[in-house]
Amino acid sequence: MIKILTVIGARPQIIKSAALSRAISRHFSDQLREVILHTGQHYDESMSGIFFDELQIPKPDYNLQIGSGSHGKQTAAMISGIEDILEKEKPNALVLYGDTNSTLAGSIAASKLHYPIIHIEAGLRSFNKAMPEEINRILCDHVSTLLFSPTRTGYDNLLREGFKENSLPPYSADNPKIFYCGDVMYDNSLFFSELAEQKTDIIKRLGLTPGQYILATIHRAENTDNPQRLSALFNAILKIAEKEKITVVLPLHPRTSKLADKNLGSDLLKKLKISPYIKIIPPVSFIEMTALEKNCKLVMTDSGGVQKEAFFFKKPCIILRSETEWTELVECGSAIIADADEPKIMNAYTHFSTNVNLKFPALFGDGKAAEFICEQLIKFISA
Ligand code: UD1
Ligand code: UDP
């Protein structure tokens, strides 16, 4: 039996991990055993606990309960905790997702102890090293053994950084193998899409009319921590809502809730509070989020995951950042990069209100990325 240690920590990683856990329990449980380590990077019930039952993810075998902190303190505590569990569990490989501090910590701990790293969502680049995520993903990719890229662009980024297209086994951190395999989040969105219709009444509960509201999320450090950018984003959202008389639903990340009082002027805060069009709500579950995405008119977000889910559900997306790793979305015209720039955001909204025939080509695989990853993992470890 092959033993893998999966490290999760932040909301999107918990959600991504559901696809692999599901594939293992359905098709590979006689060959693969997954031990789950939660770093505790996210810890509120609405940012972590809620997803396990809802998405049928096995409860973590370990929770390091690291919590919030500066990059150095948080990452260092995680490295030390992951190292202990690696020594105890001695897995055949470590599975890491995405680009958070939990990903970085896992990659440092495992590479120093010579455990092979399987990186899911490899190769994505924003080409902006001011983002903590860009540093995390580059460092993780360059000590990984199997790298699974969800997009062709991600795969090409790896080739440009020196990874080889035709490397031959035995694979190692010095002779890694790269794959373009589709997105485990597409697997998840397909799987949970129908359940979202049956299992939540969030649309009714919030008094929303399908097709007639905007779904927005904001949580990136570069937006939340900068008063000018955060104010520009909320001003643009408020202006569109009031001018177009359209409801905007904002499930707010705790980072943003905590910084809004400090970084938004009292005047803007008051206007947001009294506007009948602005619905600021706590973070919602994945099933609720899926229902909100499926039924909205348009998405505005600085989230990586939410950008893609807008695309999966054929919704236009205004990207509230100056660049994106998911460049295909912009190239095919279903997403526009508007930064934290009021006029650009307003123009993007007008563009999508008048251009309704958008294209959503199949860019993210066939909904079976997790199964492919399990097959490759078994092949690699059994070789
Ligand atoms: C992290 C990731 C980011 C990812 C995001 C997903 C890093 C560097 N960043 O950002 O790439 O897009 O998760 O959501 O790893 N907080 C709570 N409760 C929680 C979690 C966080 O209140 O359960 C608050 C704390 O004030 C904390 C702040 O949010 O300081 C930021 O949390 P942190 O995990 O450091 O980074 P995120 O902004 O969530
Ligand atoms: N999400 C959720 N509830 C929310 C907001 C987001 O379940 O209130 C989900 C969303 O559907 C997506 C993932 O969280 O699958 C994205 O995570 P986040 O935006 O926190 O991080 P990012 O993808 O930017 O790293």
Side-chain angles (χ1 to χ4, degrees), residues 311-327:
F311 184 87
F312 300 157
F313 296 119
K314 301 189 168 29
K315 305 293 176 183
C317 179
I318 303 178
I319 300 171
L320 307 174
R321 288 178 45 197
S322 54
E323 75 279 309
T324 180
E325 301 77 16
W326 306 101
T327 49

Side-chain angles (χ1 to χ4, degrees), residues 211-214 237 240-248 277-278 297 349:
Q212 291 181 37
Y213 65 91
I214 296 170
I237 286 172
I240 290 172
E242 299 270 333
K243 190 166 155 246
E244 305 289 331
K245 300 195 186 328
I246 186 163
T247 299
V248 182
Y277 299 109
I278 303 289
K297 173 181 176 180
Y349 183 81

Side-chain angles (χ1 to χ4, degrees), residues 11-12 15 51 185 219-220 251 283-284 286 289 293 303-305 309:
R11 170 170 66 187
I15 299 172
F51 300 110
M185 279 311 296
H219 79 278
R220 288 275 155 209
V284 295
F286 183 69
M289 191 64 181
E293 290 166 345
S303 157
E309 287 160 13

Side-chain angles (χ1 to χ4, degrees), residues 200-219:
T200 169
D201 63 349
I202 189 159
I203 306 296
K204 209 166 124 212
R205 209 165 71 232
L206 294 178
L208 301 169
T209 309
Q212 291 181 37
Y213 65 91
I214 296 170
L215 175 65
T217 75
I218 298 170
H219 79 278

